[in-house]
Amino acid sequence: MGFVSAYDDYYDPTTGTYYGGDEQSAITFPVQLNYIFGKNNSPHSFEVGGGLTYVTKKLNIMNFDSYGTDDHRTQLFGTFCFMYRRQPVNGGFSWRAGFTPLLGKGYIQAFAAASVGYNF
């Protein structure tokens, strides 16, 4: 489960303009399957994943209101991850970094990601 904040703007086809609305909050439900490539006794691996994220409200999350007359608001996003992962075999400090694109209605937004942790 997650949380996002965005504007509830809308497109008026009669005037050809977008109207900004109030800032709204929504709950997100991400589901993703990941696979980790690597050798059994190596701390180095590569993580690849894909999935979907459902948002409880149809919001203009990425502010893509400059594409003309198209409505780019959506409640369903495609998610992917391509990450290098360093996770010690016998436990310890672990980290990962990579590329995590987000696919919405009519656009692709590139993101970078990083995480740190400790494994036992």
Side-chain angles (χ1 to χ4, degrees):
M1 234 167 91
F3 173 81
V4 68
S5 181
Y7 291 96
D8 64 349
D9 61 349
Y10 66 94
Y11 177 75
D12 184 356
T14 59
T15 62
T17 58
Y18 282 90
Y19 291 97
D22 296 329
E23 189 170 7
Q24 299 287 322
S25 298
I27 296 173
T28 62
F29 295 97
V31 176
Q32 189 173 55
L33 292 175
N34 293 9
Y35 187 80
I36 300 172
F37 296 93
K39 296 180 181 177
N40 288 339
N41 293 325
S42 174
H44 308 285
S45 57
F46 186 69
E47 179 180 346
V48 176
L52 295 171
T53 297
Y54 175 76
V55 183
T56 56
K57 293 180 184 176
K58 192 174 182 181
L59 300 172
N60 190 2
I61 293 173
M62 297 300 187
N63 278 337
F64 285 115
D65 58 0
S66 61
Y67 280 109
T69 62
D70 294 335
D71 182 4
H72 289 273
R73 295 176 301 160
T74 185
Q75 286 182 273
L76 194 62
F77 294 90
T79 58
F80 295 94
C81 76
F82 305 96
M83 310 281 282
Y84 167 77
R85 174 188 286 234
R86 182 159 189 326
Q87 184 171 332
V89 176
N90 295 322
F93 178 75
S94 63
W95 62 272
R96 63 187 182 153
F99 175 61
T100 57
L102 180 72
L103 283 68
K105 183 180 174 186
Y107 62 87
I108 299 173
Q109 178 65 43
F111 286 105
S115 68
V116 295
Y118 190 86
N119 46 303
F120 303 92

